[in-house]
Amino acid sequence: MAIRTATAYREGLRDGRRVVYQGKQVDDVTAFGEFTTAIAHSGLAYEIAERHPELAIADDGDGPYTAFYKVPRTAEDIVARGRLIETVSRMGAGTIVLKEVGSDALFALLRALSGQGHDNAVEFYRHCCANDVALAVAKTDVKGDRSLPPHRQADPDLYVRVVDEDADSITVSGAKVHTSFSANADELIVLPTRAMGHDDADWAVSFAIPMDTPGLTLYVSPYLHGEPNGFEHPISSRHKLLESLTVFDNVRVPKARVFLNRQPELAGPLALAFVDYHRFTAVNYKLPVLDLLVGAAIEMAQANGIASAGHVKTKLTELITYAETVRGFADLAALRSISGGNDVQLPDPLAVNMAKYHFAHGFHAATATLIDLAGGLVATGPGGDDWADPQTRRVLAKYFAAAAPAEERLRLIHLIGDICTGQWGGYQSVLATHAEGSLEAEKLQISRAFDPTRARAAVAQVLREAATSDQRDAVGV
């Protein structure tokens, strides 16, 4: 077992992986300036072991290892996992860091599989714990025509598929998208994205490979490109993720690293097993974002001198209600967690999907409220270079002072802009709608998870008692 430092993690990324950014190949991700912020941000997944060892280090008797990879066996384990995810997200200003998603995939593999696939998953899990591996997860296929299953697509590579197999390996081709951390992780877990039928067997595949595997190419998105300053971008100047289109061009995978091989009946259960953990991760890493929304609203109302206005109090109360409802559902998902396959605990599917749905459904209204409280300076306010110039600063300090000094107020306004209107805020807005499952996906899981027995029994009891009372009245009892 091992606990790596952030420096060791960074050094381990120098391995010859094929990464393309804005049409050009990146030879060394650690030396490429556009990736510096993202790699430092993901390094928080290792720094937390030094800053919060009571949360971030586990030891089951064989030596210390990262608590992100501690397999949950009890409700208390799920509660502890929630605290760990929230804490590391708070270190990253509400931005998911690194190990959370990979551990979601590990737990899904350990819970949903059986036979040789499960045995391979156990060995890979041990490897990850022993070496403190940084994992990325490629789950979402590019999908092509969404109305068609994999085997009916015009191009068969629109879902990752097995194209060849021998005694020792399989060979895969295709592409996944929205692969967070791919360019700055050590290894990649590939999962199916959906349920599949018999004719989709070639596409029912799951495996893990190192990032420098031949045939694997990562096309990294340029969102948040540039060098934003801390005055205008207090979050996005320090915290960033790398996302990629992840292309497999005849990638050979040793069978010891294959977890699912042409078993379509397991594709859906494995995909859903990942979702059970990933949405719990989602609602816990978003809790610091909700605290930022509420805290910025309170501070902005004070800075603008409007905190005592009735409509402002109403808006703040609505924001608090929204944020604390999400937190309550997140807590409930852990407290009501249940034992799943292979004795791996999972968060309560009903509560966790209600938490994620409530967050996503209310996020855009919450940011609109925050913008309303901040005012138009979110879009038209002066920038960091303005404030850095002494002569300009004197003018700004005079005319932008309110119930708080100008600098305090302007920095707060730019924080709100970063959260709500800038590239980071836009990214969060898209995440709220699509990441960790869409609103429709969450509603579907809520419907599936809800047991109507109690509700139906309540109706039956009332009707039964009413009918009994009617019968008594009819006979004059």
Side-chain angles (χ1 to χ4, degrees):
M1 297 294 185
I3 298 289
R4 289 199 292 171
T5 65
T7 299
Y9 151 71
R10 184 176 180 276
E11 293 300 316
L13 301 177
R14 294 193 175 106
D15 59 7
R17 64 191 62 197
R18 181 172 172 78
V19 176
V20 177
Y21 185 79
Q22 293 191 323
K24 298 179 181 179
Q25 184 164 333
V26 177
D27 294 325
D28 180 354
V29 296
T30 68
F32 186 57
E34 279 296 329
F35 292 177
T36 299
T37 299
I39 292 173
H41 172 75
S42 287
L44 294 172
Y46 292 90
E47 290 181 20
I48 192 173
E50 298 178 4
R51 293 166 62 175
H52 299 283
E54 74 287 356
L55 289 176
I57 298 177
D59 191 338
D60 301 327
D62 296 323
Y65 65 100
T66 176
F68 284 103
Y69 296 164
K70 179 178 175 61
V71 178
R73 304 292 186 187
T74 65
E76 289 74 19
D77 290 341
I78 298 290
V79 170
R81 178 169 174 79
R83 287 200 301 268
L84 173 62
I85 293 168
E86 180 181 357
T87 301
V88 78
S89 175
R90 197 172 301 282
M91 291 167 60
T95 306
I96 194 170
V97 173
L98 175 62
K99 292 182 181 178
E100 306 94 323
V101 184
S103 54
D104 293 336
L106 287 175
F107 301 157
L109 292 168
L110 295 175
R111 197 186 100 213
L113 299 180
S114 60
Q116 188 60 53
H118 181 264
D119 292 345
N120 290 350
V122 169
E123 287 304 311
F124 180 69
Y125 168 77
R126 290 171 177 163
H127 160 73
C128 292
C129 291
N131 297 282
D132 207 4
V133 175
L135 294 171
V137 178
K139 183 175 186 288
T140 305
D141 293 274
V142 292
K143 297 178 183 176
D145 185 338
R146 269 62 169 174
S147 70
L148 301 176
H151 75 276
R152 292 184 58 199
Q153 296 290 332
D155 185 336
D157 287 343
L158 297 178
Y159 286 78
V160 172
R161 64 189 177 113
V162 180
V163 296
D164 197 9
E165 181 175 1
D166 58 32
D168 300 318
S169 68
I170 62 172
T171 301
V172 300
S173 288
K176 299 276 188 175
V177 72
H178 315 312
T179 313
S180 304
F181 317 113
S182 56
N184 60 290
D186 300 316
E187 303 202 30
L188 181 70
I189 296 178
V190 175
L191 297 174
T193 195
R194 56 173 289 171
M196 297 185 187
H198 177 75
D199 292 334
D200 298 320
D202 286 346
W203 291 266
V205 62
S206 175
F207 55 88
I209 53 174
M211 288 300 182
D212 62 347
T213 300
L216 177 67
T217 304
L218 311 172
Y219 296 86
V220 177
S221 168
Y223 92 96
L224 284 180
H225 178 82
E227 298 182 1
N229 64 72
F231 185 89
E232 296 172 48
H233 306 279
I235 297 176
S236 57
S237 61
R238 299 180 298 116
H239 303 287
K240 175 181 176 179
L241 268 66
L242 299 180
E243 306 271 3
S244 74
L245 169 69
T246 305
V247 176
F248 304 81
D249 184 9
N250 290 311
V251 172
R252 181 179 179 273
V253 183
K255 283 195 171 175
R257 287 293 194 91
V258 176
F259 313 124
L260 190 69
N261 182 15
R262 292 180 165 125
Q263 296 166 277
E265 70 280 3
L266 293 179
L270 180 53
L272 287 177
F274 173 74
V275 163
D276 289 333
Y277 298 106
H278 197 39
R279 290 184 187 156
F280 182 74
T281 288
V283 295
N284 281 281
Y285 86 72
K286 293 178 187 300
L287 294 177
V289 176
L290 295 177
D291 287 343
L292 285 172
L293 287 172
V294 173
I298 293 170
E299 295 300 323
M300 195 73 254
Q302 293 286 349
N304 281 343
I306 58 174
S308 62
H311 71 94
V312 172
K313 291 180 179 179
T314 297
K315 290 181 173 70
L316 295 177
T317 301
E318 289 171 349
L319 281 176
I320 293 166
T321 301
Y322 163 62
E324 289 303 301
T325 299
V326 175
R327 181 177 290 277
F329 279 133
D331 291 344
L332 185 64
L335 294 173
R336 291 203 324 201
S337 64
I338 58 177
S339 180
N342 298 318
D343 193 32
V344 181
Q345 195 87 353
L346 67 147
D348 176 58
L350 177 61
V352 80
N353 279 280
M354 290 175 68
K356 179 59 173 61
Y357 176 81
H358 189 72
F359 172 85
H361 188 69
F363 183 78
H364 298 93
T367 57
T369 297
L370 190 52
I371 293 169
D372 182 25
L373 294 170
L377 287 176
V378 169
T380 66
D385 290 340
D386 296 310
W387 192 258
D389 175 63
Q391 185 173 349
T392 304
R393 184 189 306 170
R394 285 194 292 271
V395 176
L396 302 180
K398 174 180 174 65
Y399 289 109
F400 287 123
E407 180 174 4
E408 178 184 330
R409 182 168 173 247
L410 288 173
R411 287 187 180 277
L412 185 58
I413 285 169
H414 281 304
L415 171 62
I416 292 170
D418 217 10
I419 295 171
C420 300
T421 65
Q423 288 191 66
W424 190 87
Y427 178 70
Q428 292 296 324
S429 181
V430 174
L431 287 185
T433 303
H434 291 293
E436 302 96 23
S438 66
L439 287 162
E440 292 304 313
E442 287 140 18
K443 287 193 288 186
L444 179 61
Q445 287 303 101
I446 289 169
S447 177
R448 286 174 172 170
F450 179 69
D451 181 355
T453 302
R454 185 182 63 217
R456 296 181 68 182
V459 172
Q461 179 180 346
V462 169
L463 294 178
R464 184 170 59 252
E465 291 174 352
T468 301
S469 178
D470 288 345
Q471 291 170 2
R472 289 173 177 171
D473 291 344
V475 297
V477 176

